[in-house]
Amino acid sequence: MTDCVFCAIVAGSSPAAVVAETEEMIAFLDVRPLSPGHTLVVPKAHAARLSGLDGAHGTAMFALGHRLGRAAQAGPLDADGVNLVVNDGRVAMQTVDHVHLHVIPRFSGDKLRWLSRMAVRRPRSSDDAVAALRAGLEDLSS
């Protein structure tokens, strides 16, 4: 799909801070994160909504999200918890018409900061989150 920002990232024609990649999925930092390490897991094959995603790709998306959530908690990012969220459709606050899973690391005491970032989402730097998440994934593999 030519006008899809996520398809452009998959094609390599748009930049992204890639955390992990498989044959079917790509995971990169959200440009307007709710917390350090907020990552999007995106199927490489375009599907606008969950209804357009086959079961195997849905399984692969959640499997990678699960690993990233574990890496956020076990690795140097040292998150205290994680939210895994799919916003399916505009009414559910989906802003990019390409199905994706948000992996949002959570930290003790972050509730007010998190809620304020929900109201006003601005671009933020990665704060070395890519390296921390990759290290966490390495820790899980060893």
Side-chain angles (χ1 to χ4, degrees):
M1 176 159 274
T2 58
D3 60 342
C4 174
V5 66
F6 290 171
C7 287
I9 290 169
V10 169
S13 59
S14 190
V18 176
V19 175
E21 189 169 0
T22 68
E23 187 175 311
E24 302 167 312
M25 300 289 141
I26 187 167
F28 50 87
L29 294 183
D30 192 307
V31 296
R32 296 178 300 145
L34 295 174
S35 69
H38 180 170
T39 303
L40 304 178
V41 179
V42 177
K44 290 181 177 180
H46 183 84
R49 304 274 305 268
L50 280 173
S51 60
L53 189 67
D54 67 39
H57 283 99
T59 298
M61 183 173 70
F62 276 92
L64 183 52
H66 175 253
R67 284 188 50 77
L68 287 165
R70 290 179 56 216
Q73 294 176 78
L77 196 59
D78 200 28
D80 297 307
V82 66
N83 289 112
L84 299 177
V85 180
V86 174
N87 300 328
D88 189 39
R90 295 288 174 183
V91 70
M93 299 179 359
Q94 181 180 3
T95 58
V96 176
D97 290 326
H98 187 128
V99 68
H100 55 285
L101 172 67
H102 293 260
V103 180
I104 308 167
R106 298 299 303 273
F107 302 89
S108 294
D110 73 352
K111 189 174 187 178
L112 290 176
R113 182 175 55 246
W114 198 78
L115 290 173
S116 71
R117 286 184 174 182
M118 281 284 292
V120 181
R121 293 184 65 192
R122 295 189 178 108
R124 292 177 173 79
S125 70
S126 68
D127 300 322
D128 300 319
V130 170
L133 288 168
R134 286 181 182 166
L137 288 170
E138 281 290 320
D139 290 347
L140 293 177
S141 296
S142 54

